[in-house]
Structures are given as structure tokens and as C-alpha cells.
Amino acid sequence: MLYAHLDGLRADTDTRLAATLRETSSNPQAMTQRDAATALYSEQLAQYSAVENGLCFGRLDFTDGTRSYIGRIGLFDTEGDYEPLLMDWRAPASRPFYLATAASPDGVRRRRHIRTSRRKVMAVDDEVLDLDAGGSAGHEGLAGEAALLSALNATRTGRMTDIVETIQAEQDEIIRSGLNGVLVVQGGPGTGKTAVALHRAAYLLYTYRQQLSRRGVLIVGPNATFLRYIGQVLPSLGETGVLLQTVGDLYPGVRGTRPEPAAAAEIKGRIGMVDALRRAVQDRQTIPAEPMVLLVEREELVLDGPTVRAARTRARRSRKPHNEARPIFAEEIVTALARQEAERLGAEFLDAADLADIRREMAADEVVRAAIEELWPNLTPQRLLTDLYASADRIASAFPDLTDAERALLFRSPGLGWTAADAPLLDEAAELLGVDDRAERAAAARRRRDEQDYAQGVLDILQMEDDADPDILTAYDLIDAGRLAERHDDEDHRTAAERAAADRSWTFGHVIVDEAQELSAMAWRVLMRRCPSRSMTLVGDVAQTGDLAGTATWAGALSPYVEDRWRLAELTVNYRTPAEVMAVAADVLAGLGTDQAAPTSVRETGVDPWRLRVAGDRIADTVAELAAGHESGTLAVLVPAGLVGEVGRAVLGRVPDAGLGDRPELECRVVVLTVAQSKGLEFDGVLVVEPSGVLAESSRGGNDLYVALTRATQWVGVVHAAELPESLGKLVERTDGTARVGW
């Protein structure tokens, strides 16, 4: 019945879309209507398709004899009295499905979990919560334990799936937390932080639809691979209007994908970059060392240091950004040059009109304009940073506190592309530079006047018709030229997410950051500008911070913006990592000196994490042999950055369809990644290659090793040539020499 209703909605939407297209196809004036209808109906059809698999996943039987079905979207009986056929999982009435227990059944007699494959029911699991009515033992542990364990033990596909069927009580509390303020979700690996964040986005869009549909929701992830991994979760929950970006995408028109040394990224992430960029801008507001001689209309005019300094001082006193203060500087320079020209011609014989003409001609002169550009250039953020990085002198002036070695890390030739750490700096530079948009605004005003003049002409023609009946209202009586011109303006039918992606000044209704512990101080500044309301959800684990510029404490990151006005929620149950693996990872965590406790795993697999020691020249071949022997599910080979090339080539030689690099196909059976590239991902099995190399590559190598060990849902193996750190002492030594990786 539910799928029949869904099919009816899909067919009705198809019919309405087709009718709209027919009605507007021959009417150019209706193009706007057609585009809006197409966007709306296409979004509805996409939603219906997304929820096709697992439309209904639960049922609540209440003690009063009523029942409710729970699903991914809400469906109502439109042919009857509009009774609910299926309750949206986000609706308040659905909460007992996630929170009811035998001790507090909330009126629920039985909770049923329905597992499906497309439209076929594969399994049904019942929990009796009313002990008196059910006459059997209640359940006080995990909600829907059978369904949960089935999902946890399922083979991974390379794409994250939603957890809407198995949300646990501690997760539900966070998902349904209020919109306002900053919510920090601290949780160890495998606790479902990412899933909670995505389901929270869906919940907020459902509950605060009117507010968030206008401003949109921004989700920031650690890398492009991660965004592809989570890309299908929100559509499967019926939400498509969310913008997913990495930190390197936060400046419109720029994709920060070029790799760079971690030490360089760390420098760019420091809060001191704010003052450094301010100095870099001020360095472009120059005073000539020697007087500048300008040949204007075959006459020599002189710009000396005091004149330019006075113009610069007046422009700076305006407190406007660089580009917006530039017209003030230019006006002062033009006035000074016009005064010289007037004195040459005989100022006592010139009136105000003559002086205005001289200033106008001076402002239009190419030589004068070139001098102003040299002394106070009109800068884009891209030009400012490109010129800064390409000049050792400019770097030294902007960064007086850096060592020579640190300055050398920032130097680079133009045209090499942008890194993820550059995007926040471009945004900061945009704040310092501003935009002189006077010409654009003047052009827009001219276009507006022309459109109104044309509209007025049309109305005048209609009014002049000789046979017009004076008693009948005409267009001239109902609308003026301004409103008529507005009707022909092109409407923007892009979604809020699409418009936000192209607009640096856009402010979001809510911002969600996954792996938030990796944000640098400069990245935090960008996100706070994107969300002045401070309505944010930040999920992460400071014990997993790998970025050298990353967050050490939540208080340290947030206090400059909200002081102590943020709330903390903690996830303590590990759903991903088996207890056997977590026992090893917990020893690594203990060595980090953090006060974070390892989360408690809910299951065991019976497979002990193992280690296999080989000769140094056999590392790549051994890993390739093990990868080729992998048979079930997904396998991640996590290697130090210095071994990616060697190990990657060997694996591709044995597994030609393996994924490798910054943007691997996650559906591949085997992928080779650095630890940083694996952030936020999960795999059935994980091979960690040369842990000593992971530790040596960064001062936060221990954090990286902790991350690497906790990516697995089934088993972990370690292949090494060098001695292992003491924290891996619980690994079982493997000596069988077989190629069976799960062992």
C-alpha cells in the first residue's frame, strides 16, 4: 500500500511536470514559470527515487491498540481524511521508535524493525517493551540490536549509508538538539559522529524548513574523497539542498587541491596570518623612493614622496578596505596633479569650471591612471597572494617573525595552483581588500533606467490606441513602468546551495563541520564569517587531530568567537571498530597524553589484529600479495606519504582495478591511501604499512596511527620492516606466510 501511494505521487508529479512543459512550450513569457516548475518537480522526483529502498523500516504498536509506521519520508492518505500512512522519522511522533525502552516504554507495546531490499522484506525483528502485555523479557541495551548488528556486520560498499533505521538514544538526543548556538559533538572513532551530523542536517531541514531553505546548510568535510563517501546519505533521507565543501572549496572559484608540505600548511593556518596579510596589503600602498615624473599632454608633472604620503594617509584614515579606499587615494593624487597643471597655466586666470575640467582630464589620462595603479593597485585576493608568494622580499616584509627556513616554505612560483590552506587566506584577503564596485553599480543603474524607459514606451503606446474604451481598465491603469520592467527580470532559480557556492558573502542558516578538530585558526575565521548567527554543529575528536595547524582543545578554538557559550555532547559507544582492534588502538591513544577515553565497542569479530614483519625491500611486494588475496568487502592499504608511490605501483600490478591517489574510486575492492586521505572513512579490512613511518612523518604521528587503526569494521593487519612502537605490543605475530589477509 505504501509503495502504491509512492508510485501514485511519482506518477502525479510526472503528469504535472509534463502539463506545465506543454502549457509553456509555446509561450516565451512563461519561461520563468517553466524553469521554476521543472526545478520543483525534478526535486520531488529525486526525493521519491532516493527513498525507494527502505521506504518503511519500522512500526510502533502502542498499548492503546493503535500503530504507526516509520519511514524516510511522511506519506498521507490524500484521498481520505488525510490520515498519516507513514510517519517521517524526524517527526516528534516518531521519537519513541528511537527512545522507548522497557523501563520507559512511552506507551509502546512493541517496536518492530523491518529490513528490506528494495521493495522486498528480508527480515522482521520485534522488541516487546510492555512486559505485562508481552509476557516476555524486555530489552534494555541497544535499540533494535538485531538490526543494528546486521548493519554493522554488513560488507562495506565504498559509500556511506544512512543509519535512520538504527539510530540509538544517545545519537537521537544530539540529532534533535535545537538549532541555535554552537553544538560540539565529541566522539572517538566509530561512534557515528559523521552519521549523526548528516542526520542532524536532515532533521534541522525538516524542522526549520522555512528558515533554512532560504539560507541553506553548509557541510564541511576533511577532503573530497570524504565528501564523495557521504554524498548519498542526505539524498537517501529526502534532502538535496545542502552544500558540501572542503576547506579548500570555501573561496568561490578556487579549488584548493594542490599538495604542499605539512609545515607550510601549518604556517598558513596560524592566526598570525591575519596581521601578515594586513602587512602584505599595506606594502602595496607604496611611497616612491624618488619623485615620479609623469608626461601628461606633453607636459611634465611630478609626484613626490610627501604628496603621495599625504594621499595615502587620507585614504587609510577612511578605515575602508584597500580597494574601497583606492578612489580616495586616486582623488587626492588627481587633485595634486591638477593643482600643478593649474599653476602652470596660471591659476589666477582659471575659474571653478576650468579647474573641474582639468581634474576630469587628469583622472582620465592613461599615464596618471598607470601611476595610481603602481602606487595603490586594484588587487584581487588571488593577485595579492600570488605576488606575495613569488617575492622573497614581500614575504620577509609580511612575515618578520618567521625564520628564513619558514619563509622559504612559503615561496613559490606563480601559476602552480592553490592549496587547501590557501583558501582561508584568500577569504581573509578579500576582507582586507574589499571591492570597488562603483562601475558595476552605475552600469546596473543605467540598465535599469533603460528597461524602465522601454516599459514606459510600451505603456504609452497602449494608452494612445484610438479605439480604446475609456471605461475599461488597461495595463496603463494597473501597472507602472517600474513594476512592468521588474516582471521581465530574469529570476534566479538556483537552489540556495548553488547560489551560496558562488557568493563569498553568503551567510548560512546552519554550518556542520565533520572532523572539525582538523580546522586551522584561519579556517575557523572563514566559517565564523559564513555563519554570523553561530548556529553550528561541530563533530570531531581532538585525539585524532593530525593536521599540524589543527585544534588541540574545543575551548581554545571557540573562545575567540563565542567564549564559553557552546554546549558539548559526547558519543561514547563505538559501533564500527571491533573490540579486538579497539584494544590495540586504546594503547596508542594512551600514549598520546590526552584525557580522551577510548569508546566502548559493541561487538567482537573473533579476529585478532596481527603483524607481519618482512625485509625492507619486500614491503611493497608483500602488501601487493596480501591485497590480491583479499576476497570479501573493501580493503584500505594505509601507508606513509613517502611510500604511496612504491606501494601503489606494486598493488596496481597485482590488483589492476585498485584505487590510488587523492580521489580514488571508493567502490574499488582495494584502495591505497595516506592516513590523512582516510579521515572519516571506513573499510571492512585495513592494512597499516610501516607504522614507524607514520609516526616519523609528523609531530602528530601518534594521532595519525590512532586514526589508521580505527578505520576497520572487521580486521586490521600491520606490515612492517622497522621495529614497531611499544603501543602496538598487543598485535599477534603472523608467521603462516599465506596471502589470506583476514587471517
Side-chain angles (χ1 to χ4, degrees):
M1 178 181 176
L2 292 175
Y3 277 108
H5 194 77
L6 182 68
D7 290 340
L9 290 173
R10 183 186 285 115
D12 182 58
T13 303
D14 272 330
T15 300
R16 284 183 291 161
L17 176 58
T20 301
L21 293 177
R22 282 196 307 272
E23 294 167 1
T24 59
S25 60
S26 59
N27 183 5
Q29 301 298 329
M31 183 178 298
T32 295
Q33 176 188 352
R34 182 177 68 236
D35 292 344
T38 300
L40 174 62
Y41 294 146
S42 296
E43 182 175 350
Q44 289 176 345
L45 289 171
Q47 182 187 59
Y48 297 148
S49 297
V51 301
E52 170 77 19
N53 188 27
L55 173 64
C56 174
F57 55 80
R59 191 181 83 188
L60 291 173
D61 295 346
F62 295 97
T63 53
D64 62 3
T66 61
R67 64 177 48 168
S68 292
Y69 287 91
I70 314 298
R72 282 171 166 74
I73 60 173
L75 295 177
F76 296 86
D77 182 7
T78 55
E79 296 181 358
D81 52 4
Y82 216 68
E83 286 295 316
L85 300 175
L86 184 67
M87 195 72 65
D88 192 299
W89 68 275
R90 296 166 287 189
S94 296
R95 291 209 74 182
F97 186 77
Y98 301 109
L99 299 183
T101 64
S104 180
D106 201 13
V108 177
R109 181 176 63 85
R110 178 173 59 185
R111 172 169 49 209
R112 170 167 290 180
H113 293 264
I114 305 168
R115 282 179 273 162
T116 62
S117 176
R118 307 301 292 176
R119 298 190 176 195
K120 183 178 181 181
V121 175
M122 306 302 293
V124 173
D125 301 303
D126 284 344
E127 295 175 87
V128 176
L129 303 182
D130 187 336
L131 303 188
D132 294 333
S136 61
H139 182 78
E140 289 296 335
L142 301 168
E145 183 173 4
L148 174 63
L149 293 179
S150 176
L152 296 179
N153 288 316
T155 299
R156 269 35 185 184
T157 64
R159 287 288 183 268
M160 186 179 182
T161 57
D162 64 69
I163 62 166
V164 66
E165 303 176 27
T166 58
I167 294 172
Q168 300 299 299
E170 70 169 1
Q171 298 172 327
D172 187 81
E173 291 291 341
I174 295 170
I175 290 170
R176 298 177 192 264
S177 180
L179 174 67
N180 295 329
V182 177
L183 171 64
V184 175
V185 182
Q186 164 68 40
T191 53
K193 298 184 298 297
T194 300
V196 166
L198 296 175
H199 288 69
R200 176 162 168 75
Y203 169 78
L204 293 176
L205 285 165
Y206 174 86
T207 307
Y208 305 94
R209 179 74 62 186
Q210 185 175 5
Q211 180 176 347
L212 294 181
S213 62
R214 294 194 306 269
R215 302 310 310 167
V217 173
L218 171 66
I219 296 180
V220 179
N223 53 57
T225 301
F226 172 83
L227 294 184
R228 294 205 316 282
Y229 174 66
I230 68 171
Q232 294 304 310
V233 174
L234 284 170
S236 74
L237 299 174
E239 299 296 346
T240 57
V242 175
L243 179 61
L244 276 67
Q245 291 189 322
T246 67
V247 170
D249 301 330
L250 289 177
Y251 189 80
V254 166
R255 289 292 177 265
T257 58
R258 189 178 69 83
E260 68 178 337
E266 188 272 330
I267 294 171
K268 294 177 181 180
R270 297 175 187 173
I271 195 64
M273 288 298 299
V274 176
D275 291 333
L277 290 175
R278 187 176 291 112
R279 286 189 290 268
V281 172
Q282 292 176 346
D283 285 345
R284 305 304 294 269
Q285 302 164 359
T286 56
I287 306 295
E290 299 292 337
M292 298 175 65
V293 179
L294 309 181
L295 189 61
V296 180
E297 295 293 331
R298 300 184 180 180
E299 297 294 336
E300 290 186 351
L301 300 176
V302 178
L303 274 179
D304 57 17
T307 299
V308 176
R309 183 173 288 104
R312 185 180 71 173
T313 298
R314 183 168 184 271
R316 286 182 174 178
R317 282 177 178 170
S318 71
R319 301 292 185 182
K320 293 183 177 181
H322 173 88
N323 290 331
E324 296 174 29
R326 186 176 187 268
I328 300 173
F329 176 82
E331 181 183 6
E332 290 294 305
I333 295 297
V334 167
T335 298
L337 293 175
R339 189 181 302 115
Q340 286 186 43
E341 179 66 4
E343 291 173 355
R344 187 184 66 80
L345 295 174
E348 65 274 16
F349 302 111
L350 303 177
D351 58 19
D354 295 328
L355 294 175
D357 287 340
I358 293 174
R359 281 196 299 271
R360 188 162 46 250
E361 292 172 0
M362 201 67 64
D365 188 88
E366 291 186 2
V367 174
V368 174
R369 294 170 66 178
I372 293 172
E373 176 66 19
E374 180 181 346
L375 297 170
W376 193 297
N378 189 16
L379 295 170
T380 65
Q382 291 91 324
R383 179 183 171 189
L384 176 71
L385 272 158
T386 297
D387 293 349
L388 174 63
Y389 291 152
S391 170
D393 290 339
R394 284 184 173 139
I395 292 175
S397 178
F399 299 93
D401 298 330
L402 294 186
T403 66
D404 290 342
E406 288 175 323
R407 291 172 187 164
L409 287 170
L410 297 178
F411 182 87
R412 76 176 189 219
S413 301
L416 292 181
W418 301 105
T419 70
D422 288 327
L425 304 190
L426 289 168
D427 199 82
E428 190 72 34
E431 291 289 308
L432 295 170
L433 294 174
V435 178
D436 180 11
D437 60 352
R438 293 176 303 160
E440 290 82 355
R441 285 188 281 111
R446 287 194 299 271
R447 287 194 302 272
R448 181 68 178 163
R449 287 195 299 271
D450 292 343
E451 291 166 356
Q452 289 188 2
D453 290 344
Y454 179 81
Q456 186 63 56
V458 171
L459 293 175
D460 290 343
I461 292 172
L462 293 174
Q463 183 67 12
M464 292 168 57
E465 293 182 0
D466 295 334
D467 57 349
D469 187 338
D471 295 327
I472 298 177
L473 292 176
T474 66
Y476 201 95
D477 302 306
L478 299 174
I479 192 170
D480 60 22
R483 293 180 62 191
L484 180 59
E486 288 176 358
R487 291 176 65 88
H488 292 280
D489 289 345
D490 292 332
E491 294 186 33
D492 191 345
H493 295 296
R494 294 177 299 172
T495 65
E498 291 169 336
R499 285 180 281 129
D503 185 357
R504 194 194 73 83
S505 63
W506 189 275
T507 57
F508 290 89
H510 194 76
V511 171
I512 294 175
V513 185
D514 202 344
E515 303 291 345
Q517 77 278 356
E518 302 298 337
L519 294 182
S520 68
M522 295 303 295
W524 281 114
R525 286 177 63 85
V526 178
L527 292 177
M528 293 299 171
R529 281 195 288 269
R530 296 292 190 272
C531 192
S533 68
R534 303 295 190 259
S535 176
M536 309 177 84
T537 301
L538 313 172
V539 302
D541 178 15
V542 291
Q544 296 185 63
T545 303
D547 196 297
L548 297 182
T551 298
T553 66
W554 297 119
L558 296 175
S559 59
Y561 308 102
V562 295
E563 297 181 344
D564 60 352
R565 299 185 304 277
W566 54 279
R567 57 194 193 276
L568 176 68
E570 294 191 75
L571 294 170
T572 59
V573 179
N574 189 331
Y575 302 99
R576 175 206 301 147
T577 314
E580 297 90 343
V581 175
M582 205 60 220
V584 176
D587 288 344
V588 176
L589 176 63
L592 298 180
T594 176
D595 58 358
Q596 299 296 325
T600 303
S601 297
V602 301
R603 65 196 174 99
E604 299 177 352
T605 60
V607 180
D608 290 323
W610 51 264
R611 59 184 175 88
L612 178 63
R613 186 167 190 174
V614 298
D617 59 357
R618 288 284 303 158
I619 282 277
D621 289 339
T622 301
V623 171
E625 181 182 359
L626 291 168
H630 177 64
E631 298 176 350
S632 177
T634 57
L635 170 66
V637 179
L638 304 184
V639 300
L643 291 178
V644 167
E646 179 184 356
V647 173
R649 286 190 297 271
V651 170
L652 286 173
R654 297 292 298 271
V655 188
D657 61 346
L660 173 65
D662 291 336
R663 298 177 61 87
E665 288 300 325
L666 292 176
E667 290 88 349
C668 294
R669 180 168 57 93
V670 177
V671 294
V672 180
L673 303 168
T674 65
V675 178
Q677 292 165 352
S678 73
K679 284 276 185 177
L681 308 181
E682 64 180 20
F683 308 87
D684 292 292
V686 168
L687 279 178
V688 181
V689 180
E690 203 63 280
S692 61
V694 173
L695 293 174
E697 281 188 335
S698 167
S699 59
R700 288 183 167 169
N703 303 69
D704 289 339
L705 182 57
Y706 181 57
V707 170
L709 291 170
T710 54
R711 298 305 93 197
T713 66
Q714 300 297 329
W715 60 266
V716 166
V718 172
V719 180
H720 65 107
E723 290 290 335
L724 291 178
E726 293 184 3
S727 59
L728 297 182
K730 289 182 180 176
L731 292 175
V732 176
E733 184 176 5
R734 176 172 174 172
T735 59
D736 66 341
T738 69
R740 186 163 56 86
V741 288
W743 193 58

